[in-house]
Amino acid sequence: MEKSLSNSLKFILTLALIVVIGFLLFLANKRASEYVILILNLMAINMIFAVSLTLINGITGIFSLGHAGFIAIGAYVSTLLTLPVAQKEMTFLIKPLIYPFNQIQMPFLPATLIAGLVAAGFGYVVAAPSLRLIGDYLAIATLGLGETIRIIANNAWSITNGALGLKAIPPYTNIYWSWGWAFVTVLVIASLVKSSYGRALKAIREDPIAAKAMGINVFSHQVVSFVLGSFFAGVGGALWAHLITTIDPKSFAFSKTFEILIMAVLGGLGSISGAIIGASIYTVGLEFLRVLESPFKIWFINFPGIPGMRMVVLSIMLIVLMLFWQRGIMGRDELTWDLIYKLFTKSARRRGVVDE
Amino acid sequence: MSLAGFFQHLVNALSLGGIYALIAIGYTMVYGILRLINFAHGDVFTYGIYFAFYAVVLFLMPWWVAFVFSIFATAFLGAFIERIAYRPLRNAPRISALITAIGVSFFLENFAIVAFGGRAKSFNPQTGIYPTSFLNMINIGGVRIPVLTFITIGIVIAALVLLIWIVYRTKIGMAMRAISKDIPTTKLMGVNADRVVSFTFMLGSGLAAIGGILWAMKYPQVYPYTGMIPGLKAFIAAVVGGIGSIQGAMVGGFILGISEIMIVAFVPSLAGYRDAFAYAILLFVLLVKPTGILGVEVSEKV
Amino acid sequence: MNEVLRIDSVTKRFGGLVAVDRFDGYVKQGELLGLIGPNGAGKTTLFNVITGMYAPDEGRIFFFGKDISGFKPHEITRFGIARTFQNIRLFSDMSVLENVMVSQHLKLRNWLWFFKCIAKTPDSIRMERHMREEALKLLKRVGLENFANEKASSLPYGLQRKLEIARALSTNPRMLLLDEPAAGMNPQETFELMGFIKQIREDFKLTIMIIEHDMKVIMGICERIYVMDYGKLIAEGNPEQIQSNPLVIKAYLGEEVLL
């Protein structure tokens, strides 16, 4: 019989971890520089994106490439709801904003929720036709849907202000909102994955035909997974818009989906803890890679910064990851206390042998 | 709309559709053999344009030498990508290969930004890239159409005929068709599968370079993301026509080119949505006939 | 005796090929029915039509008197028909226990459970515990309890076949369709399998239909046998009758042997 930790101990450890993280964030919010706080916010939002993408792509096995589209919906809907009426009049110069958006303004929380719900509703509408396709066809169809949302955003001047985008979005997103929502996202999705529904979704990923034969309604489960993933993508989009305070259709190009895919793949496609780790490493790593684009000096020669170098390195990283380390950090495993305990005792045992 | 106006749009539509068809063939051949969506194909198309551009501007080649050089250089680029990034993953899950292809696409785009600069380079006769005479107008029944449009259509037809000849009348073409049915069995027949796959990538990339040069003459500039939209549309064309089928890619390319030009011509207010038409057509076709117009139904064995 | 399944003139075509050609048949309560025939005779296709993987082009299928033709696979499983697959289709990246627990999922009949599972309400936790216990019971029953936490793909071949049967039993079926359960087994394993199939029929009060190429299995355990060739039912009877039926011998061995 393998040694493992008792459930109550695991619960206490988890609680302690959450308290510690919460306290660190509290400290950061008080003391850290604006730059660090920005990165922390981005990290949480990226976690929301990566975890919701993992639910759809990694757990359920729907290879969707339309995540940026749902993020865009969340960002636009929430912004249209929170932007002050006067600001809207100043922004929408080419064509006035349509009713009722031109008259309402609401607090951040309901706006975020509505943004998530609209994204989820859109996910529901597009899921039905897309999920009739399988594999690569689905990937292309969802890619097309994501791009179509962007093209619509570019042209529907009376809703999105077209290519000019929306500016002066109230900077509501702070550590508490972003990490609070990240916490909710992880909690809901992890709780789902750890339930009978999670097993059903994984079964669909492994073999849809066998899953059907075991009494699982494959289609409706895929739709639910897609809708839930879209909801959190929409919420994340709302948080993101209120962090960077200007959005335009270009912000939601396919490269956004690509970034999230890197996070999920780095962490291990199919693992929620992997997605969290991947998003964290990506967010921080991207900042470190800024060095590549800043001017540098070798001996006495000054080199100017090379714009675009970060993305070159990132794409090479993704290719190398796929060629040599497809599993990513976590593979499809979850980082549980049991796993940590096992790793710890194993390395301790190994050390013990060396000591002798 | 007058008949003359319609004729003008039709010729435009054919030249655009032809370019889409040239790119779409690259997608469809690779998919037919490896079941891989080569996301990087649109960027290979961009590099074809850059190669031609630098051959003229930097290496001062005459334009026609530069174009031939570009076709071969791009062909080798395509084969090189396959060798480095796709071949090691041939037995890996399909999703890994797909993600790698997306990675290659982003690499090519961003490398172009770093190496060639993010700003658009103009691709017009003033830089000596092709003769000014291409822009002369021919007057047909009161419609003035540039020579270039006819050259485009002519080259597209020649390239398509050459391709059909290679695929259906040569030994390597037979090997390509065999491999698309069953790689292991074809290998047992003594065919060097790797070489055939390399050749397929070269063929597809060479056609993309031709399409790229024609595209760049039509919309006279090149920048790192030039290939993205035509690449996506050509991919859609391949899917619409039935991915895996060369004839399907041609049909799909022309359907997309013609419908795009005609919708904008008849309903100008929708011009901003021109890039979304392709997706609308894609979704429609996929829902009506998921395997595309000329695709073959493959149902999974239970 | 009660009739469990009635197949009423079922036809299934693939393009020009008639895979199942006006097949008529029935299965009685508690019966162990064999379905044999040369490769490509349409046996698996018939299974696929019964379980809803394909809709029949013509004809109807009744399960306990209810017309089930045209229903989706998951609905038919919920009616009480479970199956295994010719080419093993386990959820290979999941544990042995999880494989069996997946089949317990159909107990969550409405989507209220979805929210309960996310909120981890007491009844959802009870349900989860119940599913685990049921699955463990089944694993113990088939002798796989020591492998519960192993990955399904890591099991040896014979055990994978057993796991597939356990997984099918976990849907709580009234009828079980086994598609070549002895394929790839050695004689010893095959012998054990025969006893095992008979035993689960008693224990779970099952009606079983079995496709198998190993005639020892078919002749050893089946009470009645259907023989298919080119999609058609060509013979029916008990093992002795089938073994001496000239049509069957012809289908298997070809014309010359008869002459």
Side-chain angles (χ1 to χ4, degrees):
Chain A
M1 193 61 203
E2 259 179 84
K3 271 187 286 183
S4 65
L5 305 171
S6 76
N7 280 337
S8 50
L9 179 61
K10 279 189 266 189
F11 182 72
I12 291 167
L13 281 170
T14 310
L15 213 61
L17 182 72
I18 292 167
V19 169
V20 168
I21 291 176
F23 181 68
L24 288 176
L25 289 171
F26 171 77
L27 274 188
N29 200 28
K30 281 251 146 96
R31 298 284 173 81
S33 67
E34 244 172 71
Y35 174 68
V36 170
I37 290 176
L38 174 74
I39 302 307
L40 285 171
N41 276 317
L42 274 177
M43 191 189 271
I45 294 168
N46 281 338
M47 282 178 191
I48 297 175
F49 291 154
V51 169
S52 55
L53 185 85
T54 296
L55 173 68
I56 299 174
N57 287 28
I59 306 284
T60 321
I62 306 167
F63 196 64
S64 164
L65 294 176
H67 225 52
F70 298 105
I71 294 170
I73 290 176
Y76 273 104
V77 169
S78 62
T79 303
L80 289 175
L81 293 175
T82 57
L83 215 54
V85 174
Q87 181 62 41
K88 285 173 182 166
E89 269 166 31
M90 272 159 56
T91 308
F92 283 81
L93 293 172
I94 296 184
K95 269 189 188 169
L97 181 61
I98 53 159
Y99 180 84
F101 293 117
N102 60 353
Q103 305 204 349
I104 44 176
Q105 187 198 349
M106 60 170 74
F108 191 37
L109 180 63
T112 310
L113 279 172
I114 293 173
L117 289 175
V118 172
F122 194 82
Y124 181 76
V125 172
V126 302
S130 309
L131 287 170
R132 284 179 52 193
L133 309 167
I134 48 166
D136 301 342
Y137 290 103
L138 183 97
I140 286 303
T142 48
L143 169 65
L145 285 168
E147 286 287 292
T148 307
I149 292 172
R150 194 177 60 80
I151 293 168
I152 292 172
N154 218 352
N155 287 283
W157 287 86
S158 54
I159 303 173
T160 62
N161 203 28
L164 293 178
L166 301 173
K167 290 182 182 60
I169 303 170
Y172 288 145
T173 301
N174 57 26
I175 293 269
Y176 300 114
W177 282 124
S178 59
W179 281 85
W181 272 111
F183 180 70
V184 171
T185 309
V186 172
L187 197 67
V188 168
I189 293 180
S191 174
L192 177 72
V193 169
K194 243 181 91 80
S195 77
S196 185
Y197 285 91
R199 277 192 299 274
L201 295 178
K202 285 184 194 161
I204 292 169
R205 172 190 74 194
E206 299 285 309
D207 190 331
I209 290 175
K212 278 180 199 170
M214 297 310 127
I216 295 168
N217 185 344
V218 169
F219 181 73
S220 69
H221 279 73
Q222 284 178 323
V223 170
V224 162
S225 160
F226 199 77
V227 168
L228 192 65
S230 308
F231 174 80
F232 285 114
V235 167
L239 292 166
W240 194 48
H242 291 81
L243 180 69
I244 58 176
T245 67
T246 39
I247 53 171
D248 64 60
K250 273 208 266 351
S251 335
F252 308 102
F254 180 55
S255 52
K256 190 80 204 154
T257 304
F258 174 71
E259 272 187 68
I260 302 165
L261 199 60
I262 298 187
M263 298 175 207
V265 169
L266 173 67
L269 201 53
S271 163
I272 296 192
S273 39
I276 297 170
I277 297 169
S280 314
I281 294 178
Y282 180 88
T283 316
V284 175
L286 204 60
E287 293 308 314
F288 279 107
L289 286 180
R290 265 184 209 288
V291 177
L292 292 171
E293 294 188 0
S294 55
F296 57 96
K297 205 171 171 183
I298 298 177
W299 287 311
F300 298 104
I301 312 157
N302 280 310
F303 291 90
I306 311 165
M309 208 53 202
R310 274 202 302 176
M311 288 309 284
V312 170
V313 172
L314 271 179
S315 37
I316 293 178
M317 212 176 79
L318 180 75
I319 298 169
V320 170
L321 255 171
M322 291 321 290
L323 289 180
F324 302 108
W325 201 36
Q326 284 174 32
R327 213 182 150 268
I329 294 168
M330 296 301 301
R332 282 173 174 174
D333 302 328
E334 293 298 344
L335 184 65
T336 56
W337 292 115
D338 283 331
L339 188 73
I340 294 171
Y341 179 70
K342 218 189 283 173
L343 284 176
F344 187 71
T345 50
K346 206 192 283 170
S347 67
R349 221 175 295 141
R350 209 179 301 138
R351 229 179 301 127
V353 172
V354 174
D355 284 346
E356 281 162 19
Chain B
M1 185 180 296
S2 68
L3 195 65
F6 179 77
F7 180 69
Q8 186 160 21
H9 288 305
L10 186 69
V11 176
N12 270 335
L14 285 179
S15 77
L16 182 65
I19 295 174
Y20 287 156
L22 288 181
I23 317 171
I25 287 165
Y27 280 113
T28 224
M29 286 195 306
V30 168
Y31 192 89
I33 289 183
L34 297 180
R35 302 283 177 274
L36 166 74
I37 299 175
N38 183 9
F39 264 96
H41 194 59
D43 305 298
V44 169
F45 164 99
T46 312
Y47 275 63
I49 309 174
Y50 274 119
F51 289 152
F53 178 83
Y54 282 105
V56 171
V57 174
L58 214 58
F59 299 105
L60 307 172
M61 293 183 197
W63 62 271
W64 53 275
V65 178
F67 289 0
V68 173
F69 162 78
S70 155
I71 292 167
F72 281 97
T74 314
F76 279 104
L77 175 67
F80 180 71
I81 292 171
E82 190 273 330
R83 180 69 196 84
I84 297 291
Y86 302 156
R87 191 172 300 174
L89 289 170
R90 205 170 289 164
N91 297 318
R94 297 248 304 274
I95 196 164
S96 309
L98 196 63
I99 295 172
T100 310
I102 298 174
V104 172
S105 162
F106 271 74
F107 170 74
L108 290 176
E109 282 165 11
N110 289 292
F111 184 76
I113 293 178
V114 170
F116 310 136
R119 231 182 287 150
K121 306 213 177 317
S122 69
F123 201 93
N124 58 31
Q126 277 88 56
T127 36
I129 279 173
Y130 61 93
T132 333
S133 58
F134 281 15
L135 295 180
N136 291 349
M137 294 290 175
I138 300 182
N139 198 324
I140 302 173
V143 192
R144 287 159 55 78
I145 294 167
V147 180
L148 181 61
T149 307
F150 292 104
I151 292 179
T152 302
I153 295 175
I155 289 180
V156 166
I157 292 172
L160 294 183
V161 168
L162 181 70
L163 175 82
I164 297 276
W165 180 78
I166 290 176
V167 173
Y168 290 95
R169 289 282 180 273
T170 64
K171 219 171 163 185
I172 186 108
M174 196 200 285
M176 283 167 60
R177 283 180 290 137
I179 275 191
S180 70
K181 293 271 182 284
D182 186 344
I183 289 193
T185 313
T186 314
K187 272 186 178 162
L188 287 177
M189 301 295 140
V191 174
N192 183 342
D194 286 341
R195 196 179 297 165
V196 177
V197 172
S198 292
F199 180 77
T200 308
F201 270 84
M202 292 179 79
L203 203 57
S205 307
L207 289 175
I210 298 176
I213 294 165
L214 295 173
W215 177 275
M217 293 199 279
K218 193 175 163 75
Y219 305 96
Q221 58 170 347
V222 53
Y223 59 101
Y225 295 107
T226 303
M228 214 159 106
I229 296 290
L232 266 173
K233 283 190 192 158
F235 181 75
I236 291 171
V239 177
V240 164
I243 196 151
S245 150
I246 290 177
Q247 290 87 337
M250 297 180 188
V251 170
F254 283 108
I255 289 180
L256 239 64
I258 292 171
S259 52
E260 184 179 329
I261 297 277
M262 290 302 171
I263 292 177
V264 174
F266 285 101
V267 198
S269 62
L270 286 178
Y273 289 98
R274 65 186 296 165
D275 292 339
F277 296 149
Y279 297 115
I281 295 175
L282 171 78
L283 279 185
F284 177 75
V285 170
L286 284 182
L287 293 178
V288 175
K289 192 165 184 292
T291 47
I293 296 170
L294 295 179
V296 193
E297 195 93 32
V298 192
S299 62
E300 198 182 351
K301 195 170 156 52
V302 181
Chain C
M1 234 197 268
N2 236 338
E3 201 173 84
V4 173
L5 190 77
R6 168 156 287 278
I7 303 162
D8 187 5
S9 191
V10 161
T11 299
K12 175 69 201 170
R13 297 188 198 90
F14 294 106
L17 176 83
V18 188
V20 178
D21 192 358
R22 278 166 291 161
F23 190 99
D24 279 304
Y26 63 93
V27 191
K28 286 181 291 186
Q29 178 91 56
E31 196 174 23
L32 228 165
L33 178 81
L35 181 60
I36 62 171
N39 282 322
K43 307 177 298 285
T44 297
T45 306
L46 183 64
F47 266 24
N48 285 336
V49 173
I50 295 172
T51 54
M53 296 287 170
Y54 304 137
D57 292 317
E58 283 157 35
R60 294 202 279 179
I61 294 163
F62 297 91
F63 185 58
F64 284 101
K66 178 184 163 62
D67 186 353
I68 59 164
S69 32
F71 279 92
K72 300 263 166 53
H74 67 267
E75 293 167 321
I76 288 175
T77 306
R78 289 172 190 202
F79 294 150
I81 301 179
R83 71 173 290 178
T84 64
F85 294 90
Q86 188 178 346
N87 45 340
I88 299 178
R89 282 181 174 273
L90 289 169
F91 307 123
S92 41
D93 213 37
M94 298 167 73
S95 76
V96 168
L97 180 65
E98 282 178 319
N99 264 273
V100 182
M101 285 176 81
V102 164
S103 309
Q104 297 278 318
H105 186 64
L106 47 70
K107 286 183 176 155
L108 309 180
R109 291 240 166 164
N110 69 52
W111 283 97
L112 206 60
W113 280 108
F114 178 76
F115 298 102
K116 286 182 180 171
C117 280
I118 289 178
K120 293 270 178 286
T121 57
D123 57 344
S124 79
I125 291 172
R126 268 199 303 280
M127 186 54 131
E128 176 79 11
R129 200 180 303 140
H130 166 75
M131 287 176 170
R132 180 175 297 268
E133 280 161 6
E134 289 290 305
L136 276 170
K137 223 189 281 170
L138 273 166
L139 283 182
K140 207 167 275 170
R141 179 66 196 72
V142 301
L144 284 174
E145 71 270 28
N146 290 332
F147 301 94
N149 294 318
E150 304 288 323
K151 256 189 191 177
S153 54
S154 71
L155 289 183
Y157 191 79
L159 295 186
Q160 291 196 11
R161 287 246 174 245
K162 267 195 168 168
L163 176 56
E164 253 210 330
I165 296 178
R167 188 179 68 173
L169 289 174
S170 179
T171 63
N172 198 18
R174 291 188 278 182
M175 181 170 185
L176 185 60
L177 308 184
L178 300 173
D179 197 346
E180 297 196 26
M185 286 189 173
N186 63 34
Q188 176 62 30
E189 286 172 327
T190 307
F191 181 72
E192 283 170 16
L193 179 77
M194 287 164 66
F196 176 70
I197 292 174
K198 277 178 161 172
Q199 193 59 50
I200 56 171
R201 171 171 66 161
E202 300 308 316
D203 296 354
F204 297 90
K205 300 196 171 45
L206 288 170
T207 305
I208 297 179
M209 202 169 163
I210 174 170
I211 296 176
E212 186 49 65
H213 280 296
D214 188 336
M215 286 305 139
K216 272 203 308 296
V217 177
I218 292 288
M219 299 304 164
I221 60 174
C222 293
E223 283 118 23
R224 201 159 59 88
I225 299 166
Y226 281 138
V227 188
M228 281 180 89
D229 195 18
Y230 294 109
K232 286 198 170 76
L233 175 65
I234 59 165
E236 179 203 345
N238 63 34
E240 293 79 45
Q241 289 166 332
I242 293 297
Q243 270 163 326
S244 56
N245 188 323
L247 277 173
V248 179
I249 299 167
K250 190 175 125 189
Y252 269 91
L253 301 175
E255 209 77 52
E256 301 95 86
V257 182
L258 270 184
L259 295 171

